[in-house]
Amino acid sequence: MTDPILLAEKARLRAEGFARRDALDAGWRRQASQDIAARVLALPELSGVEPVGAYWPMRSEVDPRPALAALAAQGRAIALSQTRSPLLVWRRWRPGDRLVHGGFGVMEPPDEAPELAPRALLVPLCRFDRRGGRLGYGKGHFDRSIAALGARHPLLTIGVAFSAQEADEVPMAGHDRRLDFVVTENEAIGTSGRAS
C-alpha cells in the first residue's frame, strides 16, 4: 500500500510543477524546447540508438517535435506513445503521419501504425530532481512502460523539462523509475548529478 504522506507530497510537488510550467511564457517555452532538442541530440549516449520513443506534447509540456524531426531527418526510427492501460504502446511515426485523438486528449498514432519497442525514450516531466527522480501526471503509464521495455532490452531514458520544474527531491515509491538523464534548456543532467 502506498504511503499517504508520500502521495500527499507528490500531489503538492505536482501542483507546484504544473503551476510553474504553465506560468512560463509560450514564446519562451517554444525557444526553450528548441534548446532542449539541441542538447538531447548532442548526448553521446543517444548516438545511433533507435527506435526512439517519445510523446506528442500537450498543455505546457516541453515540445519534443524539434528533436523528433531532427532524428527522423537522420533516418532514425521514431515511435510515439499510444495510451493504453496499464502500459503505453509505441507506434511508428514519421513527420507528416496522421495522428488521432487518444486517451487524455493526447494526439497519437492510429492502431494501424506498426508497433515498435523503443531503446531510448524522451519522457515528459512535471517535476524532476538531479538523481533522476521524476513526477508525471500521476497515472504511472511511463513508469510501467519504462519497466516493461527495460526488461526486454537496454533502455536509455531521457526526461525533458524546463529548469523551473526542478525540485530538491522527488519522493520515490517502489514502482517509480529513475531517469538516466534530464535535459533542460540550460543543461543535460546525468542521474549522478554530473552535468554534461
Side-chain angles (χ1 to χ4, degrees):
M1 182 174 219
T2 306
D3 180 352
I5 295 173
L6 180 76
L7 287 176
E9 177 62 5
K10 282 187 170 187
R12 183 190 70 77
L13 286 169
R14 189 173 285 115
E16 188 179 77
F18 288 140
R20 287 183 180 191
R21 200 176 73 189
D22 292 345
L24 297 169
D25 174 75
W28 184 91
R29 285 198 311 263
R30 278 191 298 277
Q31 181 57 56
S33 291
Q34 294 277 356
D35 296 340
I36 289 166
R39 290 186 186 283
V40 166
L41 295 168
L43 286 173
E45 292 81 0
L46 187 60
S47 179
V49 177
E50 63 177 317
V52 177
Y55 61 96
W56 198 259
M58 65 178 194
R59 303 180 189 166
S60 56
E61 289 176 335
V62 168
D63 187 347
R65 290 175 292 186
L68 299 182
L71 290 167
Q74 295 171 7
R76 309 267 282 279
I78 307 296
L80 288 183
S81 59
Q82 186 186 52
T83 306
R84 298 291 181 265
S85 286
L87 297 175
L88 297 172
V89 174
W90 304 93
R91 296 197 180 276
R92 181 162 188 123
W93 174 83
R94 296 179 187 96
D97 283 356
R98 180 175 73 91
L99 296 173
V100 298
H101 288 280
F104 306 105
V106 177
M107 298 302 291
E108 57 188 35
D111 289 340
E112 61 267 21
E115 191 171 335
L116 299 178
R119 291 183 173 270
L121 286 182
L122 299 184
V123 182
L125 304 176
C126 172
R127 298 303 295 273
F128 71 91
D129 66 29
R130 289 181 173 259
R131 291 170 297 285
R134 68 170 287 273
L135 282 178
Y137 286 95
K139 303 296 184 189
H141 287 110
F142 268 91
D143 286 314
R144 286 189 292 271
S145 297
I146 288 168
L149 286 168
R152 292 176 68 173
H153 51 240
L155 180 67
L156 175 67
T157 56
I158 304 167
V160 290
F162 304 117
S163 57
Q165 296 172 250
E166 185 174 351
D168 289 336
E169 183 177 0
V170 171
M172 302 285 283
H175 66 275
D176 292 326
R177 297 291 181 247
R178 292 193 185 275
L179 301 165
D180 296 310
F181 287 91
V182 176
V183 180
T184 73
E185 73 278 9
N186 295 325
E187 60 186 329
I189 305 162
T191 58
S192 67
R194 280 184 300 112
S196 62

